[in-house]
């Protein structure tokens, strides 16, 4: 057995059509507040991070029709898009996935939102869930 590389659930990412509406609902129903908002042009998304203890709910909406999130919404509708697992060392965790024979989307760590370093693992490897490795 390998040592545990996850240090926290970093975020649960939910794809929505109406970002403002989704934020308003989380605020009204649960008292959740937005801690960070960012447009990540390279991924074609706008996101809002709502803090929950040491993790986040990440509400995601596409900024253009070519965005992977736009394609996801068109195909599957709104809902759970991916889970971000926090790790101490993204490159190490990515190497561990590759060493186990896993298929990755990002061959090397790259910049994510709020200054993080991230890499995505293909859902075919991770039992149907898109996984993002997140290093703060
Ligand atoms: Co994410």
């Amino acid at each position: 057995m390998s040592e545990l590389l996850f240090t926290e659930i970093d975020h649960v990412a939910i794809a929505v059509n109406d970002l403002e509406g989704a934020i308003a609902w989380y605020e009204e129903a649960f008292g959740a507040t937005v801690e960070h908002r960012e447009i990540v042009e390279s991924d074609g998304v706008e996101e809002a991070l709502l803090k929950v203890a040491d993790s986040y709910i990440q509400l995601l909406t596409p900024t253009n029709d070519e965005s992977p999130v736009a394609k996801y919404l068109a195909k599957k509708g709104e809902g759970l898009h991916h889970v971000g697992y926090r790790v101490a060392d993204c490159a190490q965790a990515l190497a561990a996935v590759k060493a186990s024979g896993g298929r990755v989307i990002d061959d090397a760590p790259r910049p994510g939102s709020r200054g993080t370093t991230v890499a995505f693992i293909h859902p075919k490897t991770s039992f149907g869930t898109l996984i993002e490795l997140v290093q703060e």
Side-chain angles (χ1 to χ4, degrees), residues 11 13 58 82 120 132:
H11 61 275
Q58 180 185 67
H82 66 270
F120 281 88
E132 180 181 12

Side-chain angles (χ1 to χ4, degrees), residues 10-13 47 58 60 81-84 113 118 120 132 134:
D10 188 82
H11 61 275
V12 171
E47 66 172 53
Q58 180 185 67
L60 276 179
H81 184 263
H82 66 270
V83 177
S113 65
V118 305
F120 281 88
E132 180 181 12
V134 183

Side-chain angles (χ1 to χ4, degrees), residues 45-72:
V45 297
E46 178 170 6
E47 66 172 53
L49 291 171
L50 289 72
K51 195 143 172 74
V52 180
D54 198 28
S55 302
Y56 299 93
I57 298 160
Q58 180 185 67
L59 301 173
L60 276 179
T61 203
T63 55
N64 65 69
D65 292 344
E66 297 311 305
S67 161
V69 174
K71 289 172 183 164
Y72 181 93

